[in-house]
Amino acid sequence: RHVWVCTNYDNVAAELVKTYKFGHQRAAAETLANLMVETLLAYNDVPRLMELDHHVVSVPTASTRIRQRGFDHSAHLARQIAHKLESGYVNALVRLGQTRQVGAERPARLTQPAGNYLVRYPHLIAGKNILLIDDVVSKGFYCYTYPAKIS
C-alpha cells in the first residue's frame, strides 16, 4: 500500500548503489540497509510497526544478473534489513524472465514488472504483511504515496 524512498537516485546515493550492485561491494548493503530502515522508522510509529505480523521479502533479481554479480543484491539487502528490524526474511517470490531495466526508457520500466513475478511459497506469507525490498524504485511507482504511514 505504501512506498518509502530514502533518497533520490543521484550523486552519492547513485554511486553507492552502483558500487554495491556492479562493483561487487557487498559491504555497501550495511549503509543502504541503515538508510532504508531509518526512513521506514522515521515515517512510522515504531511500536505499531513492530506489532505488525510482517515478513521482509526481496524483489527477485534476474538469474543472469545473479550469475554476473556473484550474488543476489536484492536478497542480500533484504536480509540486512530483516536483521535490523528483527523480522523474518522470506524468499517468497520468483522472477519469470530476464528482462533488464537498466537502460530501458521510463515507459518500459513502468510496465516491465507486470506479470514477471510469481509467489513461490504462498503458505509462508499468507495472512502476513509484506515489507517488499528493492534498491531502486521508478518514480511512477511512488509519486502518489510518498511519504506515507502504515495504517
Side-chain angles (χ1 to χ4, degrees):
R1 291 187 204 162
H2 308 288
V3 175
W4 295 277
V5 178
C6 63
T7 185
N8 289 327
Y9 186 71
D10 57 14
N11 303 322
V12 175
E15 287 304 313
L16 181 61
V17 170
K18 289 175 186 175
T19 298
Y20 174 56
K21 288 172 68 170
F22 308 114
H24 310 289
Q25 298 298 317
R26 294 181 197 199
E30 177 79 17
T31 301
L32 291 168
N34 284 338
L35 286 168
M36 293 172 94
V37 168
E38 286 172 15
T39 300
L40 178 67
L41 297 179
Y43 286 101
N44 291 281
D45 178 52
V46 176
R48 169 76 176 119
L49 181 65
M50 295 305 150
E51 279 178 15
L52 292 175
D53 191 13
H54 71 276
H55 286 310
V56 176
V57 175
S58 60
V59 172
T61 303
S63 59
T64 54
R65 304 298 168 254
I66 295 170
R67 284 192 297 277
Q68 286 173 347
R69 296 177 187 145
F71 74 111
D72 184 339
H73 73 284
S74 187
H76 183 67
L77 181 59
R79 284 187 190 98
Q80 292 274 331
I81 292 167
H83 176 74
K84 291 175 184 311
L85 293 174
E86 298 178 2
S87 300
Y89 169 78
V90 178
N91 187 11
L93 301 176
V94 64
R95 185 180 184 120
L96 306 173
Q98 302 295 318
T99 306
R100 184 173 183 169
Q101 288 200 326
V102 173
E105 295 294 322
R106 187 169 189 277
R109 291 175 68 92
L110 294 175
T111 59
Q112 282 175 343
N116 283 332
Y117 302 101
L118 177 70
V119 178
R120 178 191 342 219
Y121 303 116
H123 66 283
L124 294 178
I125 60 172
K128 302 279 187 183
N129 289 300
I130 301 299
L131 183 57
L132 187 63
I133 303 298
D134 204 359
D135 58 338
V136 177
V137 178
S138 296
K139 287 183 182 179
F141 292 127
Y142 72 84
C143 62
Y144 299 112
T145 59
Y146 175 76
K149 294 191 178 282
I150 292 177
S151 52

